[in-house]
């Protein structure tokens, strides 16, 4: 059964550093998403991506965030200058199917 | 602000009983709804979706949707200890944007 994969599983970074989270969606899917979940809180929508461009984004997805699909398979989320409050689980979703997540810890 | 509301629980049911999980939503334009199961420390796992009023059954799971009341529920029959998890309700707002409830923690007691 096709799966969404995400790397790395855990990323530790210093405040102010850039991070790139990677996802390989399910092939032949057209809609991709990034969500985040701060520990103990709800899953929050960040951005949706269709046809190589952003479809919708939330208030959280400010200028510090960007998404790309640089080739036919990878889908990335970049945070330019991380803040302490960016610490969370970041989930990529291919249509309605979630990847295992990347735990981002900002020190 | 569009919302999806769930009782955070925990909802405790004995093994073999029916667990009933509820969700209300504020956006009358929402057409489809998704139920996810999330084990602690894991990612949400899609259980089922529903977009028509009424019931939809899949194995031990039944989703119920009432658009007039803006209410969607998930019934789990013959609950097992392995069903113990947090159940998330999600609804679209806009074409490609989804909002999630806080989730209901279910505990199935052996």
């Amino acid at each position: 059964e096709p799966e969404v994969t995400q790397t790395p599983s855990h990323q530790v970074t210093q405040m102010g550093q850039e991070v790139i989270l990677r996802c390989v969606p399910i092939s032949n899917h057209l809609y991709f998403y990034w969500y985040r979940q701060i520990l103990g809180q709800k899953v929050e929508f960040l951005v949706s991506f269709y046809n190589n461009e952003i479809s919708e984004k939330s208030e959280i997805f400010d200028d510090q965030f960007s998404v790309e699909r640089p080739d036919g398979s990878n889908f990335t989320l970049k945070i330019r200058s991380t803040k302490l409050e960016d610490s969370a689980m970041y989930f990529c979703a291919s249509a309605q199917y979630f990847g295992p997540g990347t735990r981002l810890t900002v020190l | 602000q569009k919302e999806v509301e769930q009782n955070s629980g925990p909802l405790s049911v004995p093994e073999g009983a029916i667990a009933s999980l509820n969700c209300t939503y504020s956006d009358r334009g929402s057409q489809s709804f998704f139920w996810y199961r999330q084990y602690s420390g894991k990612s949400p796992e899609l259980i089922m979706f529903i977009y028509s009023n009424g019931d939809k059954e899949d194995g031990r799971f039944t989703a119920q949707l009432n658009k007039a009341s803006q209410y969607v529920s998930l019934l789990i029959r013959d609950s097992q200890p392995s069903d113990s998890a947090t159940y998330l309700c999600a609804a679209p707002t806009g074409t490609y944007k989804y909002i999630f409830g806080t989730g209901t923690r279910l505990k199935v007691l052996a």
Side-chain angles (χ1 to χ4, degrees):
Chain A
E1 186 174 306
E3 288 184 337
V4 180
T5 59
Q6 290 187 245
T7 54
S9 56
H10 191 187
Q11 173 90 48
V12 181
T13 189
Q14 295 291 325
M15 189 169 56
Q17 295 298 303
E18 173 183 287
V19 294
I20 297 176
L21 310 182
R22 292 182 167 81
C23 168
V24 179
I26 296 170
S27 61
N28 300 323
H29 279 191
L30 301 176
Y31 305 96
F32 313 120
Y33 304 83
W34 283 100
Y35 296 89
R36 79 172 186 191
Q37 187 174 32
I38 295 170
L39 186 63
Q41 297 188 24
K42 65 167 76 173
V43 173
E44 298 176 290
F45 169 86
L46 293 178
V47 66
S48 57
F49 195 82
Y50 170 70
N51 201 25
N52 286 326
E53 56 184 36
I54 290 174
S55 299
E56 296 206 45
K57 56 185 181 179
S58 71
E59 307 75 33
I60 303 167
F61 194 88
D62 61 21
D63 292 344
Q64 293 300 312
F65 291 87
S66 61
V67 289
E68 257 192 339
R69 196 160 187 231
D71 53 41
S73 57
N74 291 289
F75 179 46
T76 62
L77 174 70
K78 182 192 290 186
I79 309 175
R80 288 189 182 80
S81 178
T82 50
K83 308 186 198 61
L84 295 175
E85 54 265 36
D86 293 328
S87 295
M89 282 292 290
Y90 287 81
F91 296 112
C92 170
S94 183
Q96 303 309 322
Y97 301 96
F98 278 64
T102 293
R103 178 172 299 284
L104 177 64
T105 302
V106 182
L107 303 176
Chain B
Q1 179 80 356
K2 293 168 183 173
E3 298 281 345
V4 172
E5 302 282 348
Q6 294 182 260
N7 187 320
S8 60
L11 171 68
S12 296
V13 299
E15 184 175 356
I18 296 175
S20 177
L21 305 158
N22 304 314
C23 171
T24 59
Y25 59 94
S26 63
D27 184 1
R28 284 197 170 274
S30 293
Q31 295 297 313
S32 55
F33 303 86
F34 299 83
W35 281 102
Y36 288 85
R37 176 173 62 197
Q38 187 175 30
Y39 292 111
S40 181
K42 301 293 186 184
S43 62
E45 174 193 3
L46 181 67
I47 298 173
M48 61 192 305
F49 65 90
I50 185 168
Y51 54 84
S52 299
N53 270 332
D55 296 0
K56 179 182 178 183
E57 189 173 313
D58 184 359
R60 295 187 296 113
F61 300 97
T62 299
Q64 299 174 317
L65 174 59
N66 183 325
K67 290 185 181 180
S69 300
Q70 294 177 248
Y71 177 92
V72 58
S73 64
L74 180 71
L75 301 178
I76 306 174
R77 287 182 299 282
D78 189 23
S79 296
Q80 301 297 308
S82 57
D83 294 326
S84 298
T86 297
Y87 288 80
L88 311 178
C89 174
T93 63
T95 308
Y96 302 116
K97 179 178 180 180
Y98 290 83
I99 55 173
F100 282 71
T102 52
T104 299
R105 193 154 60 96
L106 173 67
K107 296 171 106 172
V108 180
L109 307 171

